[in-house]
Structure formats: structure tokens, C-alpha cells
């Protein structure tokens, strides 16, 4: 009897070290996350790794291409709750489509029968809790996701806008409608696999005869053979096309956030959905404003006279300039709040606030007359006019007495 402990993340091993599944890296290791990662963490890690190894960013780099495929394979499993559960329990053996005649990830009853009357499928049913033939081995694959970037001004990110995105993506060939065959030519059923796309082979082992199912090399798993390939796509059924896509930018979006556009990625196999296009936002810095979550910050210079006597200031906001009165004796660094003048909250009707910090600008390049007037002013000031300064020097004198 097979020891269930021999199932691990590297695959199913048998007696005398025989390996029936090729070794693979742990999917969590591939994405750089912990086993307890949630769906959002898995998606975020996938996008990061996919962008890092994307073929468009690593042209003619075979190692990056291999890692990109590895990342996609890991995400395909971990993003599917049912596959993830089987993977967490049994490792790669739990999600490998080459195990079982029923195909898919749920039917593990296809190892054939032992000559002695044992059925490997019965053992697998006990381990995986599924029936035979629980899925489709050659189910059409979903298209790959794409990622691009859009640059916005500060105001466009604050109030939302519509942008055009230019990109290249994989689409079905319009010459052959994705079949890969020259229009009018004959497409025949594969004579090797009989249209199933798979070939079953039987191998004699010390445990008896064991059947394995592999992808048919004659038709590449498609079940069909093209006699005359399409001249436009060279028989692939897909071509790369340039597209311009309009995307609505929601008000309040921040730098680094992504907008998912379902079905706008690369096309998949016939009968499968296209991938998702992720549009990542890059917001240009503003000359006056800074953003803190949904609040806006800005600094306004004021004169010594305005600070001392008070004044009505013209303050810039995202909605235009507004009047704001500061009281006399306003100190440099004082911050005032303009309620509701900040960034609109994403997907809500409320807005943040604007905070205005005033900085007193000390005059420079004074004329002789101006200097004379300032000295006269200083001579007429009292300690009560500079309470902070008087308190500071009082503390200094106190500290010097203790020395």
C-alpha cells in the first residue's frame, strides 16, 4: 500500500526513489508570500512578480520567461480557492492535471488497475475526498493579465477624468477567427489521440502496470490537426495588436493605485475569458499642494505686517482661490483648516480638508529709511508684545544661576 506521507510539495514519490512528477518550487515561495496569505495578498504578490519577469520588460531573457510562466502557474492555483485547498493539503500532487483518467484536479481515478486487483484510483479517492472524473483535463485556459501605467495631474487624480490607454495585447486572429487554419482549408481530428488531446501510456513497475496520461505531441493537446496554417498568424490563431482603450479614472484615486479592467487583457483559449488589464496610476507632484490621504496641505507666505496686524488672505484651493482672514498676532507656522476643500473620498460623496500653514517672511534688502522705522518700532515695543521671547530669556537667566 502507498504511504500517504510520501505525498509532498515536490510531487508523488514511489519506492526506490522513483519520481512520477517533476520537481517544482513551492507556489508560495514562487510568489514570495506566506502560506496564510489571503486573496488580496496573493493577487498583490502575483502582480509584483509578473511585472518583474514580464517578457516585455525582459526581452530575449529565457530565465525571466521561465520565471514568468512559473509565477502565472502559481497564481492560477493559489487564486482558485478549491485548487489552493488541495495544494495546501497535498502539494503539487493535489493539483497536477496529469494524474487521473477523469482529468482535471478532482478525478484521481485514472492510474489504471494493478494486476493484483488493486485500483490506484480508490486510494486517491480516499486521500482527496473526490470522485472519479471530477473535472476537465483540457479545459480552456484564461488569458494572461496585462499591466500598464497612466500619468495624471494632481487635479485629474483628485476629481477624476477619462484617459486613453495605448497598449499591445494578444487577440484572436481575424483572418482565421482564432482557428489557426487557412480559411477554407481542412482541419482534421488528430489520428494519434483521436481528438482527445491526450495519449495514455502503460508502464510496468514493481507495483504492477501503471497508466499515465500525457499531452499529445502530434496536435499539441488541441485534438485537431491543421493541414494548411493561416498565413497571418502562422497557425497560432492569435496575433499581437495595438489597441487604444478608454478608462474612467475615479475621483480621489491616489498614486500607485490600480484600476482593474476585466476582459481587457490577452485573450485565452477559445471558450475561456480574456485576462484583466491593470492600469496603475502615477500622479505628478503639484507646485503648491501636497496630499496626505484625502487632505490637502499648502504653505502660504505672509508679511510681518500681515502677521502682526491681521489680514485677509487669498488662499489657493483645488476649487480656486478663496478669502481667509487671519487674526492679528498670527505666528509663523500657524496652521488653519479649510473644511471640505480637500480630495474627494474615493467612491464616496465626502471630501477631505485643506490645511494652510502660514510662514512669516522676514523682509530683506531694507532701505535706510525702513531700517530707521524698524528701530523706532522696536524702541516702542514692550515685553508684553513679545511674551515668548521674554519667557525664553527668563528661563536662560534661571538656568545660568543654577550653574
Amino acid at each position: 500500500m502507498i504511504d500517504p506521507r510520501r505525498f509532498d510539495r515536490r510531487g508523488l514519490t514511489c519506492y526506490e526513489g522513483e519520481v512520477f512528477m517533476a520537481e517544482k518550487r513551492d507556489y508560495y515561495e514562487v510568489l514570495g508570500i506566506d502560506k496564510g496569505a489571503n486573496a488580496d495578498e496573493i493577487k498583490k504578490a502575483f502582480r509584483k512578480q509578473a511585472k518583474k519577469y514580464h517578457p516585455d520588460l525582459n526581452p530575449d531573457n529565457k530565465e525571466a520567461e521561465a520565471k514568468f510562466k512559473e509565477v502565472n502557474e502559481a497564481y492560477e492555483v493559489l487564486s482558485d480557492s478549491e485548487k489552493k485547498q488541495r495544494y495546501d493539503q497535498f502539494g503539487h500532487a493535489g493539483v497536477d492535471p496529469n494524474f487521473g483518467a477523469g482529468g482535471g484536479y478532482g478525478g484521481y481515478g485514472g492510474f489504471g488497475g494493478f494486476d493484483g486487483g488493486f485500483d490506484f484510483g480508490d486510494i486517491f479517492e480516499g486521500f482527496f475526498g473526490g470522485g472519479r472524473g471530477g473535472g476537465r483535463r483540457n479545459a480552456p485556459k484564461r488569458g494572461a493579465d496585462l499591466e500598464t501605467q497612466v500619468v495624471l495631474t494632481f487635479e485629474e487624480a483628485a476629481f477624476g477624468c477619462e484617459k486613453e490607454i495605448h497598449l499591445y495585447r494578444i487577440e484572436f486572429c481575424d483572418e482565421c477567427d482564432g482557428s489557426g487554419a487557412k480559411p477554407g482549408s481542412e482541419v482534421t481530428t488528430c489520428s494519434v489521440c483521436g481528438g482527445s488531446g491526450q495519449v495514455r501510456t502503460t508502464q510496468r513497475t514493481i507495483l504492477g502496470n501503471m497508466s499515465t496520461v500525457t499531452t499529445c505531441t502530434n496536435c499539441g493537446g488541441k485534438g485537431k490537426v491543421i493541414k494548411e496554417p493561416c498565413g497571418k498568424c502562422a497557425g497560432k490563431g492569435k496575433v499581437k495588436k495595438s489597441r487604444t482603450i478608454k478608462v474612467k479614472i475615479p475621483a480621489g484615486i491616489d498614486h500607485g493605485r490600480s484600476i482593474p479592467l476585466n476582459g481587457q487583457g490577452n485573450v485565452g483559449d477559445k471558450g475561456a475569458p480574456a485576462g484583466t488589464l491593470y492600469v496603475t496610476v502615477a500622479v505628478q507632484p503639484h507646485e503648491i499642494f501636497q496630499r496626505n490621504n484625502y487632505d490637502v496641505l499648502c504653505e502660504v507666505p505672509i508679511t510681518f505686517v500681515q502677521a502682526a496686524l491681521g489680514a485677509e488672505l487669498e488662499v489657493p484651493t483645488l476649487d480656486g482661490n478663496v478669502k481667509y482672514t487671519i487674526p492679528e498676532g498670527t505666528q509663523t507656522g500657524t496652521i488653519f483648516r479649510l473644511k471640505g476643500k480637500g480630495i474627494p473620498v474615493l467612491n464616496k460623496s465626502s471630501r477631505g480638508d485643506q490645511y494652510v500653514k502660514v510662514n512669516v517672511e522676514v523682509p530683506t534688502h531694507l532701505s535706510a529709511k525702513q531700517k530707521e522705522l524698524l528701530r523706532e518700532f522696536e524702541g516702542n515695543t514692550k515685553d508684553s508684545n513679545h511674551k515668548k521671547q521674554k519667557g525664553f530669556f527668563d528661563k536662560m537667566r534661571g538656568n545660568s544661576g543654577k550653574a
Side-chain angles (χ1 to χ4, degrees):
M1 183 179 234
I2 295 298
D3 184 349
R5 291 173 299 179
R6 301 185 80 88
F7 287 91
D8 59 22
R9 293 200 183 280
R10 296 171 299 174
L12 172 65
T13 60
C14 197
Y15 294 99
E16 298 182 3
E18 185 175 0
V19 180
F20 290 95
M21 288 169 57
E23 287 197 7
K24 293 184 178 181
R25 287 176 62 202
D26 180 83
Y27 285 152
Y28 290 99
E29 178 185 342
V30 170
L31 296 183
I33 54 177
D34 296 328
K35 186 175 179 180
N38 58 35
D40 289 338
E41 292 170 333
I42 291 172
K43 180 182 291 186
K44 184 176 180 180
F46 162 71
R47 288 171 52 200
K48 178 180 178 181
Q49 296 296 329
K51 183 177 181 180
K52 179 178 179 181
Y53 297 113
H54 197 281
D56 289 347
L57 301 178
N58 301 273
D60 302 322
N61 188 332
K62 296 297 182 183
E63 182 179 355
E65 182 180 351
K67 287 186 179 293
F68 182 72
K69 292 179 180 178
E70 187 180 42
V71 167
N72 276 279
E73 179 181 329
Y75 180 67
E76 183 181 358
V77 171
L78 299 184
S79 62
D80 186 305
S81 58
E82 184 180 345
K83 295 177 186 177
K84 181 177 181 294
Q85 182 180 4
R86 288 196 297 271
Y87 178 74
D88 288 344
Q89 188 174 5
F90 302 106
H92 291 293
V95 293
D96 192 276
N98 289 327
F99 281 74
Y105 297 106
Y108 289 87
F111 270 76
F114 287 101
D115 286 343
F118 294 98
D119 189 342
F120 232 3
D122 294 334
I123 299 175
F124 274 62
E125 273 191 58
F127 288 157
F128 295 99
R132 298 152 130 358
R136 295 172 57 198
R137 175 181 301 277
N138 282 334
K141 292 183 180 179
R142 175 182 175 273
D145 294 335
L146 296 177
E147 185 171 356
T148 189
Q149 187 181 72
V150 61
V151 179
L152 306 177
T153 65
F154 195 90
E155 289 84 357
E156 286 175 334
F159 296 116
C161 60
E162 186 175 81
K163 286 285 187 178
E164 288 188 344
I165 304 298
H166 304 282
L167 74 156
Y168 286 92
R169 69 182 181 189
I170 304 299
E171 299 184 5
F172 289 121
C173 174
D174 51 13
E175 183 75 18
C176 64
D177 194 28
S179 69
K182 181 180 179 180
S185 66
E186 184 180 3
V187 179
T188 61
T189 300
C190 178
S191 60
V192 176
C193 65
S196 67
Q198 300 164 340
V199 177
R200 177 184 295 274
T201 58
T202 302
Q203 182 180 7
R204 183 175 296 276
T205 71
I206 58 174
L207 301 177
N209 291 336
M210 179 173 291
S211 296
T212 58
V213 178
T214 58
T215 300
C216 177
T217 57
N218 186 54
C219 64
K222 297 180 179 179
K224 302 289 184 180
V225 175
I226 299 172
K227 291 188 175 182
E228 295 183 69
C230 171
K232 186 173 182 179
C233 65
K236 296 179 180 179
K238 300 174 183 178
V239 293
K240 181 178 286 189
K241 292 184 179 181
S242 172
R243 289 296 181 193
T244 299
I245 298 172
K246 289 185 178 181
V247 54
K248 289 185 177 180
I249 308 296
I253 197 165
D254 204 353
H255 180 83
R257 293 289 295 270
S258 292
I259 303 170
L261 301 178
N262 295 327
Q264 295 294 341
N266 288 338
V267 296
D269 294 341
K270 284 283 190 178
T276 299
L277 171 63
Y278 292 94
V279 181
T280 302
V281 168
V283 182
Q284 294 175 325
H286 197 279
E287 291 182 345
I288 298 176
F289 304 120
Q290 291 183 346
R291 177 171 178 168
N292 181 22
N293 198 8
Y294 292 107
D295 293 331
V296 172
L297 315 176
C298 78
E299 296 187 12
V300 177
I302 60 175
T303 67
F304 167 78
V305 175
Q306 287 175 319
L309 303 181
E312 184 180 69
L313 303 179
E314 192 169 19
V315 178
T317 74
L318 289 173
D319 302 305
N321 295 343
V322 298
K323 301 290 185 180
Y324 187 85
T325 302
I326 59 172
E328 65 178 48
T330 295
Q331 302 298 309
T332 188
T334 301
I335 298 176
F336 301 99
R337 184 178 74 156
L338 302 178
K339 191 173 182 180
K341 289 296 183 178
I343 304 288
V345 179
L346 192 65
N347 299 323
K348 292 184 179 180
S349 58
S350 58
R351 289 179 66 169
D353 300 325
Q354 177 170 327
Y355 291 88
V356 182
K357 179 180 179 181
V358 294
N359 295 319
V360 178
E361 185 178 11
V362 178
T364 61
H365 308 296
L366 299 175
S367 67
K369 178 65 175 177
Q370 290 171 326
K371 291 178 182 179
E372 181 183 348
L373 290 173
L374 283 176
R375 291 190 183 99
E376 182 181 349
F377 169 78
E378 186 179 29
N380 289 322
T381 58
K382 303 177 182 180
D383 289 341
S384 59
N385 296 128
H386 299 95
K387 292 182 179 179
K388 289 185 179 180
Q389 187 182 49
K390 179 180 182 300
F392 175 76
F393 285 113
D394 286 344
K395 292 177 183 178
M396 284 183 62
R397 285 191 289 271
N399 289 332
S400 62
K402 294 178 182 179

